[in-house]
Amino acid sequence: MTSDKLYHLPVMLQECLDGLNIRPDGVYVDVTFGGGGHSKAILERLGEKGKLYAFDQDPDAKQNSLAFADSRFTFIEANFRNIKKYLRLYGVKKVDGILADFGISSHQIDEPSRGFSTRFEGDLDMRMNQKAEVSAFTIINEYTEAQLHKILGMYGEIKNAKTLANAICTARMNAPIKTTGEFKAILEKYAPKFKEFKYFAQVFQAIRIEVNQELDVIQEFLEQVPDLLKDTESRLAIMTFHSLEDRLVKNYIKAGNFNGELDRDIVFGTITKPLEGITRKPIEASPEELSSNNRSRSAKLRVATLFS
């Protein structure tokens, strides 16, 4: 079990706050509440008229939100892929800033029963929304070999994805694969020598992305952001933790689509896109933070506003 301190240790906190360009009387949204570290810091910078709405579908996050006894704060137990719909239920059409931290929390990783970590024995779960029907068990035991091949290659960038998919299907013919330990026992036979941990992490990442439809969620969310930002002083701040996420965010900010190709007006040559980046390159954690918070090592923060 992770300590309370680790659960609430937000990555690049100051950089996120700077990126959001917080107005004391503004309306802000933290779409990945988690342990509440970023939300707490945002509230500290808001005045009496400021508002903060926080999204999370994880029961543990909902429990954490109960500590926020603040009339300016509203917790929304929902997936942020439906951000516009849920904000409108609260009468919110425009906001001054949106923060997204796409990493899974240290608590989720370190809780064996959640099945996210390669380090602990636990059930094959990996659901961020524990009410969801599809879990890691479902995918590993019920997906076809072709489906497994596809997600291992696309989401885990596994070089021997086809071979591994076949091995998983063969293994489950004898008995269902129920735990992370049983699954790793299969992976061990196909992991590159001396790179076993990285291989496990890539495979677990692929399964987790499929369980939670993470890349679909990010795309649906990003497409709603331009309609929600109030003006060119409003900010979108997004932290990603692997290249698949970062590529989607980078391309959408750059071009307004997910392949990164700029759409120019045929006659005037002007660029048509909804957002523009505030910084040319992503912001990364400082050496000081890297030494004290291992989770920050792969984080990239991108900040954008409405295209003017």
Side-chain angles (χ1 to χ4, degrees):
M1 180 71 69
T2 187
S3 71
D4 185 64
K5 181 182 177 184
L6 273 177
Y7 194 157
H8 293 269
L9 191 63
V11 173
M12 284 199 276
L13 178 60
Q14 190 58 52
E15 291 87 344
C16 287
L17 296 172
D18 291 344
L20 284 172
N21 190 34
I22 294 174
R23 300 160 168 165
D25 60 347
V27 178
Y28 291 86
V29 188
D30 179 353
V31 302
T32 46
F33 179 76
H38 287 107
S39 282
K40 182 174 183 289
I42 293 169
L43 279 171
E44 288 171 354
R45 284 155 180 78
L46 292 179
E48 290 181 8
K49 294 182 180 179
K51 291 284 184 184
L52 174 63
Y53 296 85
F55 283 73
D56 211 300
Q57 60 187 348
D58 193 306
D60 291 330
K62 183 180 181 181
Q63 190 64 32
N64 288 331
S65 75
L66 300 178
F68 283 60
D70 192 319
S71 61
R72 302 169 301 165
F73 175 79
T74 301
F75 181 80
I76 301 172
E77 188 181 5
N79 191 311
F80 62 87
R81 74 193 308 169
N82 301 310
I83 182 172
K84 191 188 291 186
K85 179 180 82 172
Y86 279 97
L87 287 178
R88 286 189 174 176
L89 288 176
Y90 289 90
V92 179
K93 292 184 178 179
K94 297 288 181 181
V95 303
D96 296 276
I98 301 172
L99 173 66
D101 172 355
F102 292 151
I104 60 174
S105 73
S106 301
H107 173 75
Q108 287 174 325
I109 295 171
D110 292 337
E111 176 54 56
S113 66
R114 301 298 295 273
F116 284 108
S117 178
T118 61
R119 293 182 289 127
F120 306 113
E121 176 75 13
D123 292 338
L124 284 169
D125 191 334
M126 302 193 196
R127 292 172 298 172
M128 292 182 182
N129 175 5
Q130 292 186 291
K131 296 175 184 176
E133 292 182 6
V134 176
S135 67
F137 176 89
T138 314
I139 289 164
I140 291 165
N141 288 284
E142 297 180 15
Y143 270 34
T144 65
E145 185 176 326
Q147 287 174 310
L148 287 170
H149 177 200
K150 181 180 178 182
I151 66 169
L152 290 169
M154 283 179 58
Y155 301 154
E157 299 176 299
I158 302 296
K159 291 181 179 178
N160 60 350
K162 185 176 176 65
T163 303
L164 181 58
N166 177 263
I168 292 168
C169 291
T170 301
R172 74 191 188 193
M173 288 172 67
N174 300 318
I177 304 164
K178 295 180 179 179
T179 69
T180 54
E182 291 171 1
F183 189 45
K184 279 173 59 182
I186 298 166
L187 304 184
E188 282 172 353
K189 300 171 187 174
Y190 301 93
K193 199 171 183 180
F194 307 122
K195 293 183 179 178
E196 290 88 351
F197 182 77
K198 182 181 178 183
Y199 186 80
F200 297 159
Q202 286 175 292
V203 173
F204 272 56
Q205 172 183 291
I207 303 296
R208 193 198 77 224
I209 288 174
E210 179 69 10
V211 168
N212 299 291
Q213 298 181 299
E214 292 176 28
L215 301 185
D216 291 340
V217 169
I218 290 171
Q219 291 184 47
E220 290 172 28
F221 161 69
L222 285 170
E223 288 173 336
Q224 295 172 73
V225 166
D227 288 340
L228 290 169
L229 293 181
K230 185 185 292 181
D231 52 37
T232 54
E233 294 300 311
S234 303
R235 296 287 184 267
L236 169 68
I238 297 184
M239 260 193 300
T240 61
F241 288 81
H242 59 74
S243 61
L244 299 176
E245 295 172 339
D246 187 58
R247 193 176 303 131
L248 292 177
V249 176
K250 177 184 176 181
N251 286 345
Y252 193 76
I253 292 172
K254 173 189 172 186
N257 57 57
F258 300 108
N259 58 30
E261 294 179 8
L262 290 170
D263 181 17
R264 293 180 183 273
D265 182 280
I266 296 173
V267 178
F268 299 102
T270 53
I271 296 171
T272 305
K273 63 174 188 170
L275 300 174
E276 65 178 328
I278 299 295
T279 54
R280 193 173 66 85
K281 291 185 177 181
I283 300 162
E284 297 182 354
S286 66
E288 292 76 21
E289 181 168 5
L290 288 170
S291 65
S292 62
N293 185 0
N294 189 49
R295 185 171 168 254
S296 67
R297 72 187 188 281
S298 57
K300 290 185 178 180
L301 173 65
R302 293 187 185 273
V303 182
T305 187
L306 290 173
F307 186 72
S308 56

